[in-house]
Amino acid sequence: MSKTETPEEQSELGEAGAQLSTAPTEDAPSLPSLGVIGWARWFWRQLTSMRVALILLLLLSLGAIPGSLIPQNNVDELKVQDFMDRHTTLGPLYDKLQLFDVYSSVWFSAIYILLFVSLIGCIVPRTWQFVGQLRGRPPGAPRKLTRLPAYTTWRTGAEPEQVHEAALALLKQRRFRAHVAGSSAGSPAAAGTSVAGEKGYLREAGNLVFHIALIVMLVAFAAGQLFKSEGGKLIMEGDGFANTLSQYDDFKSGSLFDTDELAPFSFTLDDFEGTYQKSGPNRGTPRTYQAKVTYSEGVDGPEKKKAIEVNKPLEIDGSKVYLIGHGYAPKVTVRDSKGKVVYSASVPLLPIDQNGTATGAIKVLDGYKDKNGKSEQLGFNAFFVPTFAGAGKGQMFSQFPAPDFPVLALSAYHGSLGVDSGVPQNVYQLDTRKMTKFKDSKGELFKQRLVPGETMKLPNGEGSITFERDLKEWATFQISQEPGSLWALVGAVAAIFGLAGSLFIQRRRVWVRAVRGADGVTVVEMAGLGRSESAKLPEELADLAAQLHEKAPSAPEPDPDADPHADTSSDSDPDVVPAEGAEK
C-alpha cells in the first residue's frame, strides 16, 4: 500500500483512487456556523458513523452481562425474591436500575433502538452508493501510473490498439469489469486511452450483507421478545396436555402475544424411557433419555407417535415442545383411623441431584378424621431415593438414577395446611406453622423409611400411609413459540458470510495504457490499486502482465543514446516492481 498521499498526489490519482469503499466521508463541521439544523445534521452523522455503531454494539454486549449473572423476573421470580431477601442493600438498588428486567429495561431498549437507527442510517446511503458503483464503470487511468502500489512496463512492437484489445479481452476473461476508457482529468492528451478493469465488488457487498444481517437479527430478536410465548408443564406417565392457557403450570409471553394464537394441539405422555451407564467413570450418565408421546394436531387430528429427546423437540404448527426434566412420582395411599382410604395418588417429587434424589410434600386436604372424629388435614415431608445404599451406609442419597432400590422416607404432621389463607403455596413444600408433629415413643418427630409395599402406621391409631409398588415417572416439558428464531438464524449465517467476504476479498483496480513512443515503439504500462495493502495485488498484476506479454512481446533494446527515456526491459517477461513513492 502506498504511503500517505499529499494533496498533489491525490489530485494526480483523481477519480481512479476514489470510490474503492462505500464508507461515508466524515467532514468536520464548522462549529461556529452551526445552527439547529446544522447540529441535527452533525448529530445524525455521528450516530450513523461506524465508530458509534461499534460503541453501541459494545454497550449492548456489556448490557447483556447483568442479564446473565443476575436473576431475571421473566425467568424465575422466586430467585429474584430470594436475591432481594439476601441482599437488602443491593436488591433495591438493582431494582431501581432495572437489573432484574434487563432486556425490557429503558436503558437497554434505548441502546437497542439507537443501534437499530444507526445501522439503518449507515446502510441506506452506502447501499445507494454501491448500486451507483455497480451501474457505473471503472474510472480511467491516473496521469502517473508509477505512483500506484504495483506497476510494470515494457516496450513492444504491437500497435497500441492491439495491446488495448488484448488487455480488454484478458481482463474480461479474468472476470474483471473492464472497458476502454479515457484517462482521468489532468492526464495529458498524449496519454490517449487506457483499459480500466475492476474486481472485488463482493467485498462491499459482503460488508453491506453483514450490516443488513445485523438489522435482521435485531428485528428478529425484538419480534421474538414481543410475540413469543413460553410455558412449562409437568406430566406423569399416562396423563395428557392440551395447549390451552389453563393447562400450563407456568406461562410467560411477550407484550404483543395473544393467547388466542396458541397452536391447537394435544399430547399424552405414554412412557418415559431412561437408561444409564452402570459402570466406569461415566456411571450414571444417561444413555437413553426420551419421552414417548402420542400427539394430535388441531381439535380432532389423527394421532401420531413421537419420541421427544433433549435436543430433538416435537414441532407442531409453529410451536416446539422441549423435554427439559424428569423425575419420579411414588404412589401413596392414606387411610384414616377406621381404615378408610382418604387419599391415593402418585406424587411428583423434585430431584435435587443427578442421581434422582428428590424431595416434596404429600398433602391430604379433605376426608381425613382422627380417631375422635375431628376433621383435620395431614401433611408428610417426603424424601425419595431411586437407589438406596442401605441403612448405616452414610446419608440417604441415591447411588444411581435408575429405580434399582427405591426408598421413601416420610415425616408426619397433622393440623391445618394453610391453603385457605389466600397466600400462594409451593406444592413441593410443607407449611408446618399451623401443624402439629406426630411424635414417636421418644417424643420426637415421627418418621420412617419405606420400600414399595410397606406401610407407616401413625401413632395412637391415627391412620396409616402406604408406599405402593406402582412407581411412576414424570417429565417436564417447555412449550415455546418463537416467531423470530428462524430469521435470527438466517441473519447470523448471513452475517458470518458477509463478514468473511468483507475481510478476505480485496477490491482492486487494474489499468493498462499503451502509447506510441517518440521512436515509434509502443510503451505498455500496467498498474494496480487496491483498497488495502495486500501481497496478492502485485502477484495478480504480475500474472496479468505475463499473459499480456505473450500477446504483446517486448521489442528489441533501443539505442540508449537515441532515447534517454527508453525502457531497459529485456525480451523476458516483465517484472512488477514497487512504484515510485510506494511502500516496499
Side-chain angles (χ1 to χ4, degrees):
M1 191 172 186
S2 63
K3 66 180 181 180
T4 304
E5 304 288 349
T6 64
E8 292 82 3
E9 292 170 341
Q10 290 178 352
S11 63
E12 288 173 354
L13 290 179
E15 187 184 2
Q19 296 181 349
L20 273 175
S21 170
T22 57
T25 57
E26 298 184 8
D27 300 326
S30 178
L31 296 180
S33 62
L34 286 179
V36 175
I37 298 178
W39 277 109
R41 293 179 61 188
W42 177 83
F43 177 78
W44 176 253
R45 287 181 180 178
Q46 298 304 311
L47 180 61
T48 56
S49 65
M50 183 60 63
R51 177 179 61 255
V52 172
L54 291 175
I55 292 174
L56 290 173
L57 191 59
L58 175 62
L59 291 177
L60 196 69
S61 302
L62 294 176
I65 293 177
S68 302
L69 301 179
I70 300 174
Q72 299 295 295
N73 279 316
N74 64 339
V75 176
D76 195 332
E77 294 183 2
L78 294 177
K79 287 186 177 180
V80 173
Q81 187 59 48
D82 180 64
F83 186 94
M84 295 278 286
D85 295 339
R86 289 186 293 105
H87 302 85
T88 55
T89 302
L90 283 179
L93 178 61
Y94 283 5
D95 191 34
K96 290 182 180 179
L97 295 176
Q98 298 180 302
L99 295 182
F100 296 123
D101 300 278
V102 168
Y103 302 110
S104 59
S105 63
V106 174
W107 55 269
F108 190 86
S109 300
I111 298 174
Y112 186 88
I113 293 173
L114 284 175
L115 178 60
F116 188 80
V117 173
S118 176
L119 288 174
I120 292 180
C122 179
I123 288 173
V124 170
R126 293 184 69 162
T127 301
W128 286 115
Q129 184 179 353
F130 183 60
V131 171
Q133 292 179 10
L134 290 178
R135 297 176 61 184
R137 289 185 172 187
R143 182 176 59 183
K144 294 184 177 181
L145 292 178
T146 55
R147 293 191 179 276
L148 298 184
Y151 173 81
T152 186
T153 182
W154 71 92
R155 291 158 48 89
T156 180
E159 296 294 324
E161 292 78 7
Q162 295 176 343
V163 176
H164 287 158
E165 290 179 3
L168 182 63
L170 174 62
L171 291 179
K172 288 185 176 181
Q173 182 183 357
R174 297 290 291 270
R175 294 179 298 179
F176 279 80
R177 291 181 59 200
H179 71 114
V180 178
S183 297
S184 300
S187 298
T193 60
S194 62
V195 175
E198 189 167 4
K199 194 176 184 180
Y201 285 89
L202 287 179
R203 179 188 181 94
E204 291 302 324
N207 198 0
L208 292 174
V209 167
F210 173 74
H211 287 81
I212 293 173
L214 288 182
I215 293 181
V216 171
M217 287 191 291
L218 289 175
V219 172
F221 177 77
Q225 293 298 312
L226 293 173
F227 295 97
K228 76 172 184 178
S229 69
E230 182 179 289
K233 181 65 177 179
L234 184 148
I235 304 175
M236 283 191 291
E237 291 174 329
D239 291 345
F241 168 81
N243 194 28
T244 59
L245 189 60
S246 60
Q247 291 275 301
Y248 284 94
D249 295 333
D250 58 85
F251 185 83
K252 300 184 292 290
S253 64
S255 57
L256 298 182
F257 180 79
D258 186 356
T259 55
D260 293 335
E261 297 177 2
L262 287 172
F265 66 87
S266 61
F267 66 90
T268 300
L269 177 59
D270 300 325
D271 177 53
F272 183 89
E273 181 181 350
T275 60
Y276 308 91
Q277 180 70 31
K278 292 185 176 295
S279 61
N282 295 323
R283 184 175 186 270
T285 302
R287 287 292 176 253
T288 303
Y289 198 83
Q290 61 183 8
K292 297 180 179 180
V293 301
T294 300
Y295 72 97
S296 60
E297 301 182 44
V299 179
D300 55 355
E303 292 187 345
K304 302 177 183 178
K305 299 287 186 178
K306 172 72 175 181
I308 304 176
E309 301 180 36
V310 174
N311 294 319
K312 297 179 181 179
L314 170 64
E315 299 186 26
I316 309 175
D317 195 17
S319 296
K320 292 184 178 181
V321 182
Y322 295 91
L323 172 64
I324 61 174
H326 159 258
Y328 294 95
K331 184 177 181 180
V332 296
T333 301
V334 179
R335 293 176 172 86
D336 62 11
S337 58
K338 296 181 180 181
K340 178 184 176 182
V341 176
V342 294
Y343 181 87
S344 181
S346 295
V347 182
L349 304 178
L350 287 183
I352 59 174
D353 62 22
Q354 297 297 322
N355 284 329
T357 304
T359 62
I362 301 171
K363 301 178 182 182
V364 181
L365 303 178
D366 302 306
Y368 173 78
K369 293 182 181 181
D370 62 12
K371 64 180 181 179
N372 298 321
K374 180 183 176 181
S375 295
E376 281 190 312
Q377 294 176 332
L378 295 180
F380 301 88
N381 278 322
F383 194 89
F384 174 80
V385 290
T387 302
F388 184 43
K393 295 184 179 180
Q395 294 180 330
M396 184 179 169
F397 282 93
S398 180
Q399 306 300 305
F400 194 70
D404 295 338
F405 185 11
V407 172
L408 178 65
L410 299 172
S411 58
Y413 296 82
H414 64 98
S416 174
L417 291 167
V419 294
D420 300 326
S421 62
V423 180
Q425 286 191 356
N426 190 329
V427 296
Y428 302 103
Q429 293 180 350
L430 191 65
D431 184 357
T432 60
R433 289 177 295 179
K434 296 182 180 181
M435 304 196 78
T436 304
K437 300 176 182 178
F438 281 106
K439 297 181 179 180
D440 59 17
S441 59
K442 297 180 181 180
E444 302 293 336
L445 174 63
F446 186 75
K447 54 188 177 181
Q448 186 176 337
R449 285 198 295 253
L450 304 175
V451 296
E454 287 189 340
T455 298
M456 180 175 81
K457 294 183 179 180
L458 301 177
N460 303 320
E462 295 290 353
S464 64
I465 179 169
T466 302
F467 178 19
E468 305 290 353
R469 298 184 183 277
D470 184 14
L471 178 63
K472 288 191 175 183
E473 298 182 68
W474 55 260
T476 50
F477 299 91
Q478 177 180 298
I479 298 93
S480 303
Q481 283 187 263
E482 301 170 334
S485 57
L486 178 60
W487 283 107
L489 176 62
V490 172
V493 174
I496 293 174
F497 280 100
L499 183 62
S502 64
L503 291 176
F504 298 110
I505 298 177
Q506 185 186 27
R507 189 169 174 186
R508 63 274 193 198
R509 289 172 179 163
V510 172
W511 291 276
V512 180
R513 178 189 290 154
V515 180
R516 190 182 301 279
D519 58 354
V521 179
T522 300
V523 178
V524 181
E525 291 182 293
M526 291 186 69
L529 176 65
R531 178 181 172 183
S532 59
E533 182 178 359
S534 173
K536 293 183 178 181
L537 179 63
E539 294 175 2
E540 184 175 31
L541 186 68
D543 185 33
L544 291 171
Q547 294 189 45
L548 183 61
H549 185 267
E550 294 178 357
K551 299 182 179 180
S554 298
E557 284 277 348
D559 184 359
D561 295 333
D563 186 357
H565 300 289
D567 185 78
T568 57
S569 301
S570 65
D571 291 340
S572 61
D573 290 349
D575 293 327
V576 177
V577 298
E580 177 186 350
E583 182 179 308
K584 295 186 180 179

